[in-house]
Amino acid sequence: MYLKLDYQNIDLSKRKSEGLKALDKILSKQGLGSDFLGWTHYPENYNREELQRVLEASEKIRSESDLLVVVGIGGSYLGAKAAIDMLKPYFDKSFEIIFVGNTLSSTYTAEVLKYLENKDFSINVISKSGSTTEPAIAFRLLKKLLEEKYQDKAKDRIYITTDPKSGILRMEAESAGWTTFTVPSDIGGRYSVLTSVGLLPIACAGIDVKKMLEGAQQAVLDFTQKDLDNNLAMKYAIIRNILYEQGKKVEIFTTFEPKLRYLGEWLKQLFGESEGKDSKGLFPTSLIYSTDLHSMGQFVQDGSKIHFETFIRIEKPELDIIIPESTDDDGLNYLDGKSLNYINDKALEATVLAHNEGDVPTIILTIHEINPFIFGYLVYFFMMSCAISGYILGVNPFNQEGVEAYKNNMYALLGKKGYEKLAEKLK
Ligand code: PA5
């Protein structure tokens, strides 16, 4: 058992058939957006030759660069960032991975370019469509810097991950001779962390991506089971929908381990972009406890009753510390000899009890420890839960049409060809 699911006072039996129906639609590819279900069996069916090339490229990048710059936004970077933050030691600077093209901040982008001036670096541009504005701008700037630094050798430091056939980036890469990897056509950005999108940056960080895929393979076996009692992804999807229907419109993902901060960001994107449509869907957000108990804790406990919490609990920390005995009168002697993780876990227990008391339902997902296998297992669990949950909700969990609205306005305001009429209207 790699994952444990605890919840209180929710009867799933009446919703069993909905869960099974949703899973059936996914496995038989009969539901909305079924062209984007490539991720369901990808951990078993992935292209072995491509993985080998990813591993070779990561070796090459690590040997000839001080750092890798990952250019991408949304699903094209959040999974890798989540894995690296979760699985690397906090202060490990042995091989740096930095992320750009996920913001239009001129200050951040300028500071990155300055930081890179005296470093040897390679870049991995990740964009399925190949035309997203944020990474495209960052790529243009980085390409210029690479060409100034390495002249005709610059092209050996550019790695592109994009659609196998279509898009401007694919065309550009092929004509320039850059090394390319693929985002399978039937896998959308937020479901792509286990493809080359996530695997190349994660492998460059020195993390065992084969173990990650093994974890995901185990998850395929566990979460495609057509059996509610044994399929935690289906159970969790049903619980979320029951709470949503009870008026809990916000799901707060919480953890007592700050290394999971970006897992929270990845979850926000996965669930927010998959379910927030047709005027429906839970609003996903994330908090890090106990830190945020001293900021948002008041609201969670005592504010408007719009939310429930999903705790991600880690049983065994990577490291632990014993609180030393002390003769000082600092009011802490009741903690002498206890481990810091024991105290952290008691803080979690205390929080769950207090929040339940304050009418905040809680779900606890417990993993034994954090490692690459568990990361693969966990992300697959969430992707399957999200797909099942989206189908129960009655939306297409694989499109994101709502994202286009701001883009079109931005193109019009910036004077892009073809957007003249909209520009007039906006003025
Ligand atoms: O999940 C998604 O599909 C999106 O968040 C995309 O990943 C994001 O918009 C980036 O798109 P692209 O990879 O085409 O640049």
Side-chain angles (χ1 to χ4, degrees):
M1 187 84 126
Y2 299 99
L3 188 66
K4 212 163 126 265
L5 170 74
D6 290 297
Y7 56 94
Q8 304 91 28
N9 306 327
I10 298 176
D11 176 14
L12 306 193
S13 58
K14 290 200 186 79
R15 309 296 292 267
K16 185 174 166 173
S17 62
E18 275 175 82
L20 287 169
K21 206 167 137 203
L23 179 62
D24 235 10
K25 277 193 200 165
I26 295 166
L27 298 179
S28 63
K29 302 197 175 189
Q30 298 297 320
L32 294 166
S34 58
D35 289 351
F36 289 93
L37 282 164
W39 56 273
T40 56
H41 286 86
Y42 191 79
E44 293 163 338
N45 303 338
Y46 69 86
N47 180 334
R48 268 59 182 172
E49 183 268 336
E50 170 129 342
L51 178 66
Q52 193 49 38
R53 288 198 309 110
V54 162
L55 295 174
E56 284 162 15
S58 70
E59 287 301 316
K60 181 167 179 288
I61 293 169
R62 282 170 69 88
S63 69
E64 64 189 20
S65 291
D66 302 321
L67 58 87
L68 174 71
V69 184
V70 178
V71 186
I73 195 164
S76 288
Y77 92 104
L78 283 166
K81 175 78 176 142
I84 294 167
D85 280 16
M86 180 163 161
L87 298 169
K88 294 286 286 182
Y90 278 106
F91 299 103
D92 182 346
K93 294 270 181 263
S94 53
F95 187 84
E96 220 182 332
I97 312 284
I98 59 174
F99 293 86
V100 301
N102 54 61
T103 169
L104 291 168
S105 158
S106 52
T107 306
Y108 177 72
T109 310
E111 285 191 18
V112 168
L113 294 173
K114 181 103 198 97
Y115 182 68
L116 293 174
E117 267 171 17
N118 302 316
K119 299 252 186 325
D120 275 319
F121 67 97
S122 301
I123 66 175
N124 180 201
V125 185
I126 309 171
S127 176
K128 180 161 188 212
S129 62
S131 56
T132 308
T133 312
E134 292 86 342
I137 292 174
F139 182 33
R140 187 187 275 200
L141 294 164
L142 286 164
K143 202 167 33 175
K144 184 165 172 281
L145 183 60
L146 277 174
E147 281 162 3
E148 282 161 9
K149 248 175 123 84
Y150 302 106
Q151 291 88 37
D152 56 345
K153 296 262 178 291
K155 75 178 189 28
D156 301 336
R157 289 174 178 271
I158 299 176
Y159 298 82
I160 305 291
T161 311
T162 189
D163 188 88
K165 290 193 196 85
S166 67
I168 193 159
L169 196 56
R170 168 63 59 185
M171 275 159 48
E172 225 189 325
E174 280 175 6
S175 85
W178 300 323
T179 304
T180 61
F181 297 98
T182 52
V183 193
S185 309
D186 56 356
I187 301 185
R190 57 193 178 276
Y191 294 84
S192 70
V193 52
L194 297 167
T195 72
S196 299
V197 169
L199 298 186
L200 180 58
I202 297 170
C204 286
I207 294 164
D208 188 343
V209 294
K210 283 191 172 163
K211 281 265 173 299
M212 203 171 270
L213 286 165
E214 277 171 30
Q217 277 159 17
Q218 180 61 47
V220 176
L221 297 178
D222 292 353
F223 305 129
T224 54
Q225 292 186 79
K226 295 177 179 176
D227 165 11
L228 180 61
D229 293 333
N230 288 306
N231 188 331
L232 297 187
M234 199 193 303
K235 278 191 175 174
Y236 171 55
I238 295 176
I239 296 168
R240 300 175 78 248
N241 275 280
I242 292 176
L243 292 171
Y244 174 68
E245 287 157 23
Q246 289 174 356
K248 303 292 183 187
K249 304 289 186 202
V250 176
E251 177 170 22
I252 307 174
F253 292 100
T254 75
T255 169
F256 279 69
E257 173 50 67
K259 278 187 162 191
L260 271 53
R261 183 180 297 278
Y262 263 85
L263 183 71
E265 295 302 314
W266 178 80
L267 285 167
K268 277 154 66 177
Q269 194 226 354
L270 176 68
F271 284 100
E273 226 169 55
S274 299
E275 293 192 312
K277 48 198 71 160
D278 308 337
S279 305
K280 295 196 262 192
L282 279 161
F283 181 87
T285 186
S286 64
L287 294 173
I288 305 289
Y289 292 162
S290 64
T291 316
D292 289 332
L293 288 174
H294 298 261
S295 62
M296 292 297 286
Q298 170 63 37
F299 188 104
V300 177
Q301 177 79 40
D302 216 11
S304 326
K305 302 294 178 206
I306 53 172
H307 48 276
F308 68 93
E309 284 169 301
T310 300
F311 287 77
I312 303 172
R313 174 171 170 259
I314 302 160
E315 246 166 10
K316 186 172 159 282
E318 290 161 279
L319 299 169
D320 205 354
I321 301 176
I322 301 297
I323 308 299
E325 289 185 16
S326 167
T327 50
D328 296 349
D329 190 14
D330 59 3
L332 279 184
N333 292 345
Y334 67 104
L335 298 178
D336 283 359
K338 296 204 163 61
S339 91
L340 190 52
N341 186 59
Y342 174 81
I343 299 168
N344 202 23
D345 211 38
K346 287 293 160 204
L348 183 149
E349 207 179 311
T351 307
V352 169
L353 291 169
H355 289 179
N356 285 168
E357 197 64 21
D359 190 25
V360 180
T362 51
I363 300 170
I364 307 175
L365 295 169
T366 304
I367 50 176
H368 181 54
E369 59 186 13
I370 49 182
N371 61 40
F373 183 98
I374 295 290
F375 180 85
Y377 190 83
L378 196 60
V379 289
Y380 187 91
F381 162 79
F382 279 119
M383 293 192 293
M384 184 54 90
S385 303
C386 182
I388 298 176
S389 179
Y391 277 164
I392 294 177
L393 186 67
V395 300
N396 174 355
F398 308 113
N399 65 0
Q400 57 280 332
E401 284 160 13
V403 182
E404 297 308 313
Y406 101 89
K407 286 190 194 168
N408 291 336
N409 286 351
M410 181 175 77
Y411 295 149
L413 294 173
L414 288 168
K416 188 171 173 175
K417 208 162 164 244
Y419 291 81
E420 297 79 1
K421 270 203 184 134
L422 181 58
E424 266 315 301
K425 190 177 148 211
L426 293 178
K427 269 181 206 153

